[in-house]
CSV table of all heavy atoms in Angstrom, one decimal:
chain,number,residue,atom,x,y,z
A,252,VAL,N,19.2,7.7,-20.3
A,252,VAL,CA,17.9,7.2,-20.6
A,252,VAL,C,17.4,7.8,-22.0
A,252,VAL,O,17.6,8.9,-22.2
A,252,VAL,CB,16.9,7.8,-19.5
A,252,VAL,CG1,15.5,7.4,-19.8
A,252,VAL,CG2,17.3,7.2,-18.2
A,254,ASP,N,14.3,8.0,-25.0
A,254,ASP,CA,12.9,7.7,-25.3
A,254,ASP,C,12.8,6.4,-26.1
A,254,ASP,O,13.8,6.0,-26.8
A,254,ASP,CB,12.2,8.9,-26.0
A,254,ASP,CG,11.7,9.9,-24.9
A,254,ASP,OD1,10.7,9.6,-24.3
A,254,ASP,OD2,12.4,10.9,-24.7
A,262,ILE,N,3.0,-3.0,-26.5
A,262,ILE,CA,2.5,-2.6,-27.8
A,262,ILE,C,2.6,-3.8,-28.8
A,262,ILE,O,1.7,-4.1,-29.5
A,262,ILE,CB,3.1,-1.3,-28.3
A,262,ILE,CG1,2.9,-0.2,-27.3
A,262,ILE,CG2,2.7,-1.0,-29.7
A,262,ILE,CD1,3.6,1.1,-27.7
A,266,ARG,N,-0.4,-5.7,-30.6
A,266,ARG,CA,-0.5,-5.7,-32.0
A,266,ARG,C,-0.6,-7.2,-32.5
A,266,ARG,O,-1.5,-7.5,-33.3
A,266,ARG,CB,0.8,-5.1,-32.6
A,266,ARG,CG,0.7,-4.7,-34.0
A,266,ARG,CD,2.1,-4.3,-34.6
A,266,ARG,NE,2.6,-3.1,-34.0
A,266,ARG,CZ,2.2,-1.8,-34.2
A,266,ARG,NH1,1.3,-1.6,-35.1
A,266,ARG,NH2,2.8,-0.8,-33.6
A,277,ARG,N,-5.8,0.3,-24.7
A,277,ARG,CA,-4.8,1.3,-25.0
A,277,ARG,C,-4.5,2.2,-23.8
A,277,ARG,O,-3.3,2.5,-23.5
A,277,ARG,CB,-5.3,2.2,-26.2
A,277,ARG,CG,-5.2,1.4,-27.5
A,277,ARG,CD,-5.8,2.3,-28.6
A,277,ARG,NE,-4.9,3.4,-29.0
A,277,ARG,CZ,-3.8,3.3,-29.8
A,277,ARG,NH1,-3.5,2.1,-30.3
A,277,ARG,NH2,-3.0,4.4,-30.0
A,278,GLN,N,-5.5,2.5,-23.0
A,278,GLN,CA,-5.3,3.3,-21.8
A,278,GLN,C,-4.4,2.6,-20.8
A,278,GLN,O,-3.5,3.1,-20.2
A,278,GLN,CB,-6.6,3.7,-21.2
A,278,GLN,CG,-7.4,4.7,-21.9
A,278,GLN,CD,-6.9,6.1,-21.8
A,278,GLN,OE1,-6.6,6.6,-20.7
A,278,GLN,NE2,-6.7,6.8,-22.9
A,281,ALA,N,-0.8,2.3,-22.1
A,281,ALA,CA,0.0,3.5,-22.0
A,281,ALA,C,0.4,3.7,-20.5
A,281,ALA,O,1.5,4.1,-20.2
A,281,ALA,CB,-0.9,4.7,-22.5
A,282,GLN,N,-0.5,3.4,-19.6
A,282,GLN,CA,-0.2,3.6,-18.2
A,282,GLN,C,0.9,2.7,-17.7
A,282,GLN,O,1.8,3.1,-17.0
A,282,GLN,CB,-1.5,3.5,-17.4
A,282,GLN,CG,-1.3,3.9,-15.9
A,282,GLN,CD,-0.9,5.3,-15.7
A,282,GLN,OE1,-1.6,6.2,-16.2
A,282,GLN,NE2,0.2,5.6,-15.1
A,285,ALA,N,4.1,3.9,-19.0
A,285,ALA,CA,4.4,5.1,-18.3
A,285,ALA,C,5.1,4.8,-16.9
A,285,ALA,O,6.1,5.4,-16.5
A,285,ALA,CB,3.2,6.0,-18.1
A,288,ARG,N,8.6,3.9,-17.7
A,288,ARG,CA,9.4,5.0,-18.1
A,288,ARG,C,9.6,6.0,-17.0
A,288,ARG,O,10.7,6.6,-16.9
A,288,ARG,CB,8.6,5.7,-19.3
A,288,ARG,CG,9.2,6.9,-19.8
A,288,ARG,CD,10.1,6.6,-21.0
A,288,ARG,NE,10.7,7.9,-21.4
A,288,ARG,CZ,12.0,8.2,-21.2
A,288,ARG,NH1,12.8,7.4,-20.7
A,288,ARG,NH2,12.4,9.4,-21.6
A,292,LEU,N,13.2,7.5,-15.6
A,292,LEU,CA,13.5,8.9,-15.5
A,292,LEU,C,13.9,9.3,-14.0
A,292,LEU,O,14.8,10.0,-13.8
A,292,LEU,CB,12.3,9.8,-15.9
A,292,LEU,CG,11.9,9.7,-17.4
A,292,LEU,CD1,10.6,10.5,-17.6
A,292,LEU,CD2,13.0,10.4,-18.2
A,293,ASN,N,13.2,8.7,-13.1
A,293,ASN,CA,13.6,8.9,-11.7
A,293,ASN,C,15.0,8.4,-11.4
A,293,ASN,O,15.8,9.1,-10.7
A,293,ASN,CB,12.6,8.1,-10.7
A,293,ASN,CG,11.3,8.8,-10.5
A,293,ASN,OD1,11.2,10.0,-10.8
A,293,ASN,ND2,10.3,8.1,-10.0
A,296,ARG,N,17.5,10.7,-12.9
A,296,ARG,CA,17.6,11.9,-12.1
A,296,ARG,C,18.4,11.7,-10.8
A,296,ARG,O,19.2,12.5,-10.4
A,296,ARG,CB,16.2,12.5,-11.7
A,296,ARG,CG,16.2,13.9,-11.2
A,296,ARG,CD,14.8,14.5,-11.5
A,296,ARG,NE,13.7,13.9,-10.8
A,296,ARG,CZ,13.3,14.2,-9.5
A,296,ARG,NH1,14.0,15.2,-8.9
A,296,ARG,NH2,12.3,13.7,-9.0
A,319,ARG,N,5.3,-2.1,-8.6
A,319,ARG,CA,4.1,-1.7,-9.3
A,319,ARG,C,4.3,-2.0,-10.8
A,319,ARG,O,3.3,-2.4,-11.4
A,319,ARG,CB,3.9,-0.2,-9.0
A,319,ARG,CG,2.6,0.3,-9.7
A,319,ARG,CD,2.1,1.6,-9.2
A,319,ARG,NE,3.0,2.7,-9.6
A,319,ARG,CZ,2.7,4.0,-9.5
A,319,ARG,NH1,1.6,4.4,-8.8
A,319,ARG,NH2,3.6,4.9,-9.9
A,367,GLN,N,5.4,-3.4,1.8
A,367,GLN,CA,5.0,-2.8,3.1
A,367,GLN,C,6.2,-2.3,3.9
A,367,GLN,O,6.2,-1.2,4.4
A,367,GLN,CB,4.1,-3.8,3.8
A,367,GLN,CG,2.7,-4.0,3.3
A,367,GLN,CD,2.7,-4.7,1.9
A,367,GLN,OE1,3.5,-5.6,1.7
A,367,GLN,NE2,1.8,-4.3,1.0
A,370,ARG,N,7.6,0.7,2.2
A,370,ARG,CA,6.9,2.0,2.5
A,370,ARG,C,7.2,2.5,3.9
A,370,ARG,O,7.3,3.7,4.2
A,370,ARG,CB,5.4,1.7,2.4
A,370,ARG,CG,4.9,1.5,1.0
A,370,ARG,CD,3.4,1.5,0.9
A,370,ARG,NE,3.0,1.3,-0.5
A,370,ARG,CZ,2.6,0.1,-1.0
A,370,ARG,NH1,2.5,-0.9,-0.2
A,370,ARG,NH2,2.3,0.0,-2.3
A,371,ASN,N,7.4,1.5,4.9
A,371,ASN,CA,7.9,2.0,6.2
A,371,ASN,C,9.3,2.7,6.0
A,371,ASN,O,9.4,3.8,6.6
A,371,ASN,CB,8.2,0.7,7.1
A,371,ASN,CG,6.9,0.3,7.8
A,371,ASN,OD1,5.9,0.9,7.7
A,371,ASN,ND2,7.0,-0.8,8.5
A,375,GLU,N,9.8,6.5,6.9
A,375,GLU,CA,10.6,6.9,8.1
A,375,GLU,C,12.0,7.5,7.7
A,375,GLU,O,12.3,8.6,8.2
A,375,GLU,CB,10.9,5.6,8.9
A,375,GLU,CG,9.6,5.2,9.6
A,375,GLU,CD,9.6,3.7,10.1
A,375,GLU,OE1,10.8,3.2,10.2
A,375,GLU,OE2,8.6,3.2,10.4
A,377,VAL,N,13.1,8.6,4.5
A,377,VAL,CA,13.1,9.6,3.5
A,377,VAL,C,12.2,10.8,4.0
A,377,VAL,O,12.6,12.0,3.9
A,377,VAL,CB,12.7,9.1,2.1
A,377,VAL,CG1,12.7,10.2,1.1
A,377,VAL,CG2,13.5,7.9,1.7
A,378,LEU,N,11.0,10.5,4.4
A,378,LEU,CA,10.1,11.5,4.7
A,378,LEU,C,10.1,11.9,6.2
A,378,LEU,O,9.5,12.9,6.6
A,378,LEU,CB,8.6,11.1,4.4
A,378,LEU,CG,8.3,10.9,2.9
A,378,LEU,CD1,6.9,10.3,2.7
A,378,LEU,CD2,8.4,12.3,2.2
A,379,GLY,N,10.9,11.2,7.0
A,379,GLY,CA,11.1,11.6,8.4
A,379,GLY,C,9.9,11.3,9.3
A,379,GLY,O,9.7,12.0,10.3
A,381,PRO,N,7.6,9.3,12.0
A,381,PRO,CA,8.0,8.5,13.2
A,381,PRO,C,7.9,7.0,13.0
A,381,PRO,O,7.1,6.5,12.2
A,381,PRO,CB,7.0,8.9,14.3
A,381,PRO,CG,6.2,10.1,13.7
A,381,PRO,CD,6.3,10.0,12.3
A,383,GLU,N,7.2,3.1,14.2
A,383,GLU,CA,6.1,2.5,15.0
A,383,GLU,C,6.7,2.1,16.3
A,383,GLU,O,7.9,1.8,16.4
A,383,GLU,CB,5.5,1.3,14.2
A,383,GLU,CG,4.7,1.8,13.1
A,383,GLU,CD,3.8,0.6,12.7
A,383,GLU,OE1,2.7,0.6,13.3
A,383,GLU,OE2,4.1,-0.2,11.9
A,384,PRO,N,5.8,1.9,17.3
A,384,PRO,CA,6.2,1.3,18.6
A,384,PRO,C,6.8,-0.1,18.3
A,384,PRO,O,6.2,-0.8,17.5
A,384,PRO,CB,5.0,1.2,19.4
A,384,PRO,CG,3.9,2.1,18.7
A,384,PRO,CD,4.4,2.2,17.3
C,265,VAL,N,3.0,15.9,5.0
C,265,VAL,CA,3.9,15.1,5.9
C,265,VAL,C,4.2,15.9,7.2
C,265,VAL,O,4.3,15.4,8.3
C,265,VAL,CB,5.2,14.8,5.1
C,265,VAL,CG1,6.3,14.3,6.0
C,265,VAL,CG2,5.0,13.8,4.0
C,269,ASN,N,3.5,14.6,11.0
C,269,ASN,CA,4.5,14.6,12.0
C,269,ASN,C,4.2,15.3,13.3
C,269,ASN,O,4.7,15.1,14.3
C,269,ASN,CB,5.8,15.2,11.4
C,269,ASN,CG,6.9,14.1,11.1
C,269,ASN,OD1,6.9,13.1,11.8
C,269,ASN,ND2,7.6,14.4,10.0
C,276,ARG,N,0.4,9.6,19.8
C,276,ARG,CA,1.6,9.7,18.9
C,276,ARG,C,1.2,10.4,17.6
C,276,ARG,O,0.1,10.4,17.2
C,276,ARG,CB,2.2,8.3,18.7
C,276,ARG,CG,1.2,7.2,18.2
C,276,ARG,CD,2.0,5.9,18.3
C,276,ARG,NE,1.1,4.8,18.0
C,276,ARG,CZ,1.3,4.0,16.9
C,276,ARG,NH1,2.2,4.2,16.0
C,276,ARG,NH2,0.5,2.9,16.7
C,280,GLY,N,3.1,8.1,12.3
C,280,GLY,CA,3.6,6.9,12.8
C,280,GLY,C,2.8,5.7,12.4
C,280,GLY,O,3.2,4.6,12.5
C,282,GLN,N,0.9,3.2,10.0
C,282,GLN,CA,1.1,2.8,8.7
C,282,GLN,C,0.1,3.3,7.7
C,282,GLN,O,0.4,3.5,6.5
C,282,GLN,CB,1.2,1.2,8.6
C,282,GLN,CG,2.5,0.7,9.2
C,282,GLN,CD,2.6,-0.8,9.1
C,282,GLN,OE1,1.6,-1.5,8.9
C,282,GLN,NE2,3.8,-1.3,9.0
C,285,LYS,N,1.5,6.6,6.9
C,285,LYS,CA,2.9,6.5,6.5
C,285,LYS,C,3.0,5.9,5.1
C,285,LYS,O,3.7,6.4,4.2
C,285,LYS,CB,3.7,5.6,7.5
C,285,LYS,CG,5.2,5.6,7.2
C,285,LYS,CD,5.8,4.6,8.2
C,285,LYS,CE,5.7,5.2,9.6
C,285,LYS,NZ,6.3,4.3,10.7
C,286,HIS,N,2.2,4.9,4.9
C,286,HIS,CA,2.3,4.2,3.6
C,286,HIS,C,1.6,5.0,2.5
C,286,HIS,O,2.1,5.0,1.3
C,286,HIS,CB,1.6,2.8,3.7
C,286,HIS,CG,2.5,1.8,4.5
C,286,HIS,ND1,2.3,0.5,4.5
C,286,HIS,CD2,3.5,2.1,5.3
C,286,HIS,CE1,3.2,-0.1,5.3
C,286,HIS,NE2,3.9,0.9,5.8
C,288,ALA,N,1.8,8.2,2.4
C,288,ALA,CA,2.8,9.2,2.2
C,288,ALA,C,3.9,8.7,1.3
C,288,ALA,O,4.4,9.3,0.4
C,288,ALA,CB,3.4,9.8,3.5
C,290,ASP,N,3.7,6.3,-0.9
C,290,ASP,CA,3.2,6.2,-2.3
C,290,ASP,C,3.1,7.5,-3.0
C,290,ASP,O,3.4,7.7,-4.2
C,290,ASP,CB,1.8,5.5,-2.3
C,290,ASP,CG,1.9,4.0,-2.0
C,290,ASP,OD1,2.9,3.4,-2.3
C,290,ASP,OD2,0.9,3.4,-1.6
C,292,LEU,N,5.1,10.1,-2.3
C,292,LEU,CA,6.4,10.5,-2.7
C,292,LEU,C,6.8,10.0,-4.0
C,292,LEU,O,7.4,10.7,-4.9
C,292,LEU,CB,7.4,10.0,-1.6
C,292,LEU,CG,8.9,10.5,-1.9
C,292,LEU,CD1,9.0,12.0,-1.9
C,292,LEU,CD2,9.8,9.8,-0.9
C,294,GLU,N,4.7,9.3,-6.4
C,294,GLU,CA,4.0,10.2,-7.4
C,294,GLU,C,4.7,11.5,-7.6
C,294,GLU,O,4.8,12.0,-8.7
C,294,GLU,CB,2.6,10.5,-6.8
C,294,GLU,CG,1.7,9.2,-6.7
C,294,GLU,CD,1.3,8.7,-8.1
C,294,GLU,OE1,1.1,9.4,-9.1
C,294,GLU,OE2,1.3,7.4,-8.2
C,296,GLU,N,7.8,12.5,-7.0
C,296,GLU,CA,9.1,12.4,-7.7
C,296,GLU,C,9.0,12.0,-9.1
C,296,GLU,O,9.7,12.6,-10.0
C,296,GLU,CB,10.0,11.3,-7.0
C,296,GLU,CG,10.4,11.7,-5.5
C,296,GLU,CD,11.4,12.8,-5.5
C,296,GLU,OE1,11.7,13.5,-6.5
C,296,GLU,OE2,11.9,13.1,-4.3
C,297,SER,N,8.0,11.2,-9.4
C,297,SER,CA,7.8,10.8,-10.8
C,297,SER,C,7.3,12.0,-11.6
C,297,SER,O,7.7,12.2,-12.8
C,297,SER,CB,6.8,9.7,-10.9
C,297,SER,OG,7.3,8.5,-10.2
C,300,SER,N,10.2,14.2,-12.3
C,300,SER,CA,11.1,13.7,-13.3
C,300,SER,C,10.4,13.9,-14.7
C,300,SER,O,11.1,14.2,-15.7
C,300,SER,CB,11.3,12.2,-13.1
C,300,SER,OG,12.1,12.0,-11.9
C,304,ASN,N,11.9,16.1,-17.7
C,304,ASN,CA,12.3,15.4,-18.9
C,304,ASN,C,11.6,16.0,-20.1
C,304,ASN,O,12.2,16.2,-21.2
C,304,ASN,CB,11.9,13.9,-18.7
C,304,ASN,CG,12.1,13.1,-20.0
C,304,ASN,OD1,13.3,13.0,-20.5
C,304,ASN,ND2,11.1,12.6,-20.6
C,308,ARG,N,13.6,17.6,-23.2
C,308,ARG,CA,13.4,17.0,-24.6
C,308,ARG,C,13.0,18.1,-25.5
C,308,ARG,O,13.4,18.2,-26.7
C,308,ARG,CB,12.4,15.9,-24.6
C,308,ARG,CG,12.9,14.6,-23.9
C,308,ARG,CD,14.0,14.0,-24.7
C,308,ARG,NE,14.6,12.9,-23.9
C,308,ARG,CZ,15.6,13.1,-23.0
C,308,ARG,NH1,16.1,14.3,-22.8
C,308,ARG,NH2,16.1,12.1,-22.3
C,315,ASP,N,11.7,12.9,-29.6
C,315,ASP,CA,11.0,12.2,-28.5
C,315,ASP,C,10.2,13.3,-27.7
C,315,ASP,O,9.4,12.9,-26.8
C,315,ASP,CB,11.9,11.5,-27.5
C,315,ASP,CG,12.7,10.4,-28.2
C,315,ASP,OD1,12.1,9.8,-29.2
C,315,ASP,OD2,13.8,10.1,-27.8
C,322,LEU,N,3.6,12.2,-21.9
C,322,LEU,CA,3.8,11.5,-20.6
C,322,LEU,C,3.8,12.4,-19.4
C,322,LEU,O,3.1,12.1,-18.4
C,322,LEU,CB,5.2,10.8,-20.7
C,322,LEU,CG,5.7,10.1,-19.4
C,322,LEU,CD1,4.8,8.9,-19.1
C,322,LEU,CD2,7.1,9.6,-19.6
C,325,PHE,N,0.0,13.5,-18.6
C,325,PHE,CA,-0.9,12.7,-17.8
C,325,PHE,C,-0.3,12.3,-16.5
C,325,PHE,O,-1.0,12.2,-15.4
C,325,PHE,CB,-1.5,11.5,-18.6
C,325,PHE,CG,-0.6,10.4,-19.0
C,325,PHE,CD1,-0.3,9.4,-18.1
C,325,PHE,CD2,0.0,10.3,-20.3
C,325,PHE,CE1,0.5,8.3,-18.5
C,325,PHE,CE2,0.8,9.3,-20.6
C,325,PHE,CZ,1.1,8.2,-19.8
C,371,GLY,N,-6.6,11.1,-20.0
C,371,GLY,CA,-6.9,10.0,-20.9
C,371,GLY,C,-6.5,10.4,-22.3
C,371,GLY,O,-6.0,9.6,-23.1
C,374,ARG,N,-2.8,10.0,-22.5
C,374,ARG,CA,-2.3,8.6,-22.6
C,374,ARG,C,-2.5,8.1,-24.0
C,374,ARG,O,-1.6,7.4,-24.5
C,374,ARG,CB,-3.2,7.8,-21.6
C,374,ARG,CG,-2.5,7.6,-20.2
C,374,ARG,CD,-3.2,6.6,-19.3
C,374,ARG,NE,-4.5,7.0,-19.0
C,374,ARG,CZ,-4.8,7.8,-17.9
C,374,ARG,NH1,-3.8,8.1,-17.1
C,374,ARG,NH2,-6.0,8.2,-17.6
C,375,GLU,N,-3.6,8.4,-24.6
C,375,GLU,CA,-3.8,8.0,-26.0
C,375,GLU,C,-2.8,8.6,-26.9
C,375,GLU,O,-2.2,7.9,-27.8
C,375,GLU,CB,-5.2,8.3,-26.4
C,375,GLU,CG,-5.6,8.1,-27.9
C,375,GLU,CD,-5.4,6.6,-28.3
C,375,GLU,OE1,-5.8,5.7,-27.5
C,375,GLU,OE2,-5.0,6.4,-29.4
C,382,GLY,N,4.3,4.9,-31.4
C,382,GLY,CA,4.1,4.1,-32.6
C,382,GLY,C,2.9,3.2,-32.6
C,382,GLY,O,2.8,2.3,-33.5
C,383,ALA,N,2.1,3.2,-31.6
C,383,ALA,CA,1.0,2.3,-31.6
C,383,ALA,C,-0.3,2.9,-32.1
C,383,ALA,O,-0.5,4.1,-32.0
C,383,ALA,CB,0.8,1.8,-30.1
Side-chain angles (χ1 to χ4, degrees):
Chain A
V252 175
D254 275 284
I262 295 175
R266 195 188 296 284
R277 289 178 69 82
Q278 290 284 312
Q282 187 62 57
R288 176 89 183 110
L292 292 173
N293 280 342
R296 193 153 66 87
R319 181 166 73 171
Q367 287 67 40
R370 291 192 182 96
N371 274 355
E375 292 163 14
V377 183
L378 294 173
E383 287 202 86
Chain C
V265 167
N269 257 324
R276 53 188 174 115
Q282 286 184 334
K285 185 182 296 177
H286 289 194
D290 286 337
L292 180 64
E294 294 294 321
E296 294 290 7
S297 299
S300 296
N304 176 61
R308 291 293 170 274
D315 298 330
L322 174 63
F325 70 84
R374 267 190 291 273
E375 175 58 38

